[in-house]
Amino acid sequence: MFRPYRASYDQPMPTDFLQRIASAPISWGICEVPGWGAALPTKRVLSEMSNLGLPATELGAPGFLSDDSAELKDQLAEFNLSMIGGFTPVVLHDKSQERATREISLKTAKKFQEIGATHFVSSPVQSWDWANPKELNNDEVAQFFKMLSEVDQICQDHGLVQVLHPHLQTVVETKQDFDRVLDNSDVMWCLDTGHMTIGGENTVEFARKYANRVGHVHLKDVNMGSVPPVLARKQSIMEGVQKGLFTPLGKGDVPILETILALEEAGYQGWYVIEQDVAISGEIPALGEGPITAIKESLDYLHNIVAPALSALQSK
């Protein structure tokens, strides 16, 4: 049996920050993409989350948790976890997919409402099968913002906050894409430190300038040396992940500490979800091994580096 994770501290910690750290099944290699890697059993992942002291999770890939809302809530309750919401691909720019996007958004929003979730993490993809993004023409841009607003209303009608998730190989991939959304919509934002850094954004500057637009945070560190072949479409995201694109927090090139300090100084009070995509190659790792080791490294970083820095900031 695992022992609950506890970091050692030399000084009082800002407990509010520490209570807002969560994670997601993708950090345990749970992904719907064929060939991604071995999938750990649901109870093992939830148990490891709980024993690490994480209070909440995102939904994860279809099939990881029960599709029955009552059973899903029982699964979470067994491990004292709450549900934040989840990553939801949507096709916003393509008028021919308007009905499908509306139906998927409505179905997902109803499900999230039933299970007590709070965040609808939308990711605008080129197509449902994640074709490489193309530059949008004027009509597609107009359709994009029309449907973004409609999804936002669906979320509001179901007591949810839509947070737009910038992401590799989607139509919100680059800094130019980010700026277009920020300038033409008031939608809230999922500040994903990894994907936004890959897209050319300085996440510290973003946090300082747009803190009032940040409704959710995904913490992800990146080995930027692994980025070029993925951006050039010579590697898929899955191949990049399998080759070490994402690292434990504090081990890559993203200014994680500085971004969190900027957000907290600006009054951000939302979740920080450790969402570092991993893939399990080979056999299922033994208990206590596998993805949990990287999560522990990330938690060590948040507890022993970020939390003391926040304490110092708050004591000034």
Side-chain angles (χ1 to χ4, degrees), residues 85-107:
F87 185 85
T88 308
V90 287
V91 179
L92 301 179
H93 67 284
D94 187 344
K95 190 170 180 60
S96 71
Q97 298 303 309
E98 183 173 310
R99 180 175 178 179
T101 291
R102 188 178 295 118
E103 289 176 349
I104 286 174
S105 298
L106 186 58
K107 179 181 178 181

Side-chain angles (χ1 to χ4, degrees), residues 20 33 46 58 77 89 125 143 145 166 173 178 210 288 292 313:
R20 290 183 283 125
V33 177
L46 296 181
E58 291 191 5
V125 292
Q143 178 70 12
F145 285 111
E173 179 182 50
F178 309 159
Y210 296 110
I292 191 173
L313 181 68

Side-chain angles (χ1 to χ4, degrees), residues 102-124:
R102 188 178 295 118
E103 289 176 349
I104 286 174
S105 298
L106 186 58
K107 179 181 178 181
T108 303
K110 287 180 177 178
K111 169 65 69 175
F112 284 174
Q113 185 179 44
E114 287 174 358
I115 62 179
T118 54
H119 289 68
F120 184 110
V121 185
S122 62
S123 185

Side-chain angles (χ1 to χ4, degrees), residues 187-315:
V187 69
M188 296 297 284
W189 206 265
C190 173
L191 196 171
D192 185 295
T193 56
H195 286 288
M196 292 182 70
T197 298
I198 292 170
E201 182 65 75
N202 182 315
T203 56
V204 180
E205 292 181 2
F206 186 95
R208 289 172 178 160
K209 186 174 181 180
Y210 296 110
N212 65 324
R213 296 284 298 271
V214 177
H216 196 46
V217 176
H218 281 174
L219 294 177
K220 186 185 273 96
D221 211 341
V222 180
N223 173 7
M224 291 299 289
S226 298
V227 167
V230 181
L231 276 181
R233 318 301 188 207
K234 295 179 180 179
Q235 282 182 359
S236 67
I237 298 175
M238 179 182 74
E239 291 170 327
V241 168
Q242 292 172 339
K243 292 180 181 294
L245 177 63
F246 301 118
T247 74
L249 301 181
K251 302 286 186 174
D253 301 305
V254 177
I256 302 292
L257 168 63
E258 294 82 0
T259 301
I260 294 174
L261 290 176
L263 286 168
E264 291 295 298
E265 194 168 20
Y268 176 73
Q269 288 293 301
W271 288 106
Y272 290 96
V273 176
I274 302 173
E275 199 221 33
Q276 41 189 53
D277 302 10
V278 300
I280 300 174
S281 57
E283 300 296 321
I284 296 291
L287 290 176
E289 299 177 4
I292 191 173
T293 60
I295 296 293
K296 284 181 177 179
E297 284 189 63
S298 292
L299 283 169
D300 281 338
Y301 176 80
L302 295 174
H303 282 244
N304 298 328
I305 302 297
V306 176
L310 283 173
S311 281
L313 181 68
Q314 293 167 0
S315 65

